[in-house]
């Protein structure tokens, strides 16, 4: 689940609304790992939210205006967020996720021709393309990094839900086109909850892509009404500073 880190881990799903109709980020905490080396694979998340901008300013969080009305913020660990200083959208305010690619056309062909995404924009001069599955959903932006894509040691994955009957067709197409399948179609049991079917692929630059059977996913992705409190309590009870000190290990800090 967490790539090369096979020890204990916890995860938290965060977003602006239910996963059925919002983009959410999966934050994975690998116990005993104090820091990660970031690569050039994940280039940031763009939000449309003047509230996020005002919150950052109130907290004294560093902001850099990269273009008129768009501010760059760096999260703990180095991940980039781009905040558009506009009224938050009624739908999901997460506008796009940007991934680095080594060959724009090759990546567009993969995500569009093979995975069926619609191409919304393509800018040859800036070497970027914008794709998505629906007009009202978060988009995927591909941007050339000017060389090979380096995944560092952090690792990430993009996940989509689809009808479970589509999963065998996705697997068959990838096999036919000799594309990389990291995890063949498999059923994963969750004790006390639904059994979900998944297949995990890799695009030409090694970006991991997970397709999940929608029916079981909707059962697993229900909003926990106590989610905010559970997260706050877990962070308050965290004693990892002491653990890292006892192990004489460095812990990444905000």
């Amino acid at each position: 689940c967490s790539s090369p880190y096979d020890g204990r881990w916890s995860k938290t799903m965060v977003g602006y609304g239910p996963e059925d109709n919002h983009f959410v980020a999966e934050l994975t905490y690998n116990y005993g790992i104090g820091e990660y080396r970031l690569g050039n694979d994940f280039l940031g998340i763009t939000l449309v939210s003047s509230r996020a901008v005002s919150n950052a300013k109130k907290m004294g969080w560093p902001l850099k205006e990269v273009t008129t009305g768009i501010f760059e913020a760096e999260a703990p660990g180095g991940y980039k967020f781009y905040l558009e200083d506009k009224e938050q959208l009624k739908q999901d305010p997460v506008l796009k996720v940007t991934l680095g690619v080594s060959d724009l056309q090759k990546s567009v062909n993969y995500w569009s021709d093979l995975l069926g995404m619609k191409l919304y924009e393509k800018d040859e001069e800036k070497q970027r393309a914008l794709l998505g599955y629906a007009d009202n959903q978060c988009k995927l932006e591909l941007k050339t990094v000017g060389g090979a894509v380096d995944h560092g040691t952090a690792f990430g994955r993009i996940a989509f839900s689809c009808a479970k009957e589509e999963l065998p067709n996705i697997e068959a197409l990838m096999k036919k086109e000799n594309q990389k399948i990291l995890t063949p179609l498999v059923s994963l049991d969750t004790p006390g909850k639904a059994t979900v079917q998944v297949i995990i692929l890799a695009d030409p630059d090694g970006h991991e892509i997970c397709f999940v059977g929608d029916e079981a996913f909707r059962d697993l992705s229900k909003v926990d009404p106590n989610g905010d409190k559970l997260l706050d309590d877990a962070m308050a009870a965290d004693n990892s500073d002491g653990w890292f000190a006892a192990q004489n290990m460095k812990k990444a800090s905000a």
Side-chain angles (χ1 to χ4, degrees):
C1 181
S2 47
S3 294
Y5 306 107
D6 58 359
R8 292 177 59 240
W9 53 270
S10 296
K11 73 174 182 179
T12 301
M13 312 300 288
V14 297
Y16 286 95
E19 292 179 66
D20 285 352
N21 50 16
H22 288 76
F23 172 88
V24 299
E26 178 178 316
L27 307 180
T28 303
Y29 179 68
N30 294 294
Y31 292 88
I33 307 298
E35 60 183 343
Y36 302 94
R37 180 182 65 82
L38 299 187
N40 60 3
D41 53 346
F42 175 71
L43 301 181
I45 293 177
T46 300
L47 311 175
V48 178
S49 175
S50 56
R51 181 179 178 183
V53 174
S54 63
N55 284 345
K57 290 178 178 178
K58 289 177 184 177
M59 296 171 62
W61 199 272
L63 291 177
K64 180 174 69 174
E65 191 166 15
V66 292
T67 188
T68 303
I70 299 180
F71 296 86
E72 178 188 291
E74 186 174 300
Y79 297 110
K80 304 290 186 183
F81 283 77
Y82 296 92
L83 314 177
E84 290 197 19
D85 194 7
K86 297 179 181 178
E87 184 178 351
Q88 187 168 306
L89 301 174
K90 291 182 179 180
Q91 68 264 28
D92 193 352
V94 182
L95 192 64
K96 62 184 177 182
V97 175
T98 305
L99 300 182
V101 299
S102 59
D103 185 319
L104 184 62
Q105 188 56 55
K106 188 175 182 179
S107 292
V108 167
N109 290 345
Y110 181 91
W111 288 89
S112 180
D113 296 345
L114 290 181
L115 298 188
M117 275 192 163
K118 176 181 176 181
L119 180 61
Y120 284 88
E121 300 174 15
K122 189 178 181 186
D123 188 327
E124 293 288 355
E125 182 179 350
K126 295 183 178 179
Q127 280 292 286
R128 58 173 291 276
L130 192 70
L131 303 99
Y133 281 118
D135 295 351
N136 62 346
Q137 292 179 356
C138 174
K139 303 299 186 295
L140 173 70
E141 182 179 50
L142 304 176
K143 185 178 291 186
T144 302
V145 295
V149 172
D150 175 14
H151 293 276
T153 61
F155 296 91
R157 180 180 298 153
I158 296 264
F160 304 96
S161 67
C162 65
K164 66 179 181 180
E165 58 264 24
E166 293 181 22
L167 296 174
N169 297 332
I170 293 173
E171 183 176 52
L173 177 62
M174 293 300 124
K175 288 180 178 179
K176 177 184 176 183
E177 298 295 332
N178 295 315
Q179 298 296 326
K180 186 173 291 186
I181 299 175
L182 299 177
T183 301
L185 183 56
V186 63
S187 295
L188 301 176
D189 291 325
T190 305
K193 296 184 178 180
T195 296
V196 64
Q197 290 184 305
V198 304
I199 180 173
I200 302 176
L201 315 174
D203 81 348
D205 288 299
H207 292 293
E208 294 189 11
I209 308 149
C210 180
F211 283 94
V212 184
D214 185 71
E215 295 81 357
F217 168 77
R218 287 181 183 272
D219 182 62
L220 295 177
S221 64
K222 292 177 181 176
V223 176
D224 188 335
N226 299 314
D228 286 342
K229 184 178 185 303
L230 289 170
L231 179 58
D232 289 341
D233 290 347
M235 290 191 293
D238 176 51
N239 62 355
S240 57
D241 288 337
W243 187 92
F244 279 101
Q247 303 295 321
N248 196 28
M249 293 173 62
K250 177 183 177 183
K251 178 184 177 182
S253 59

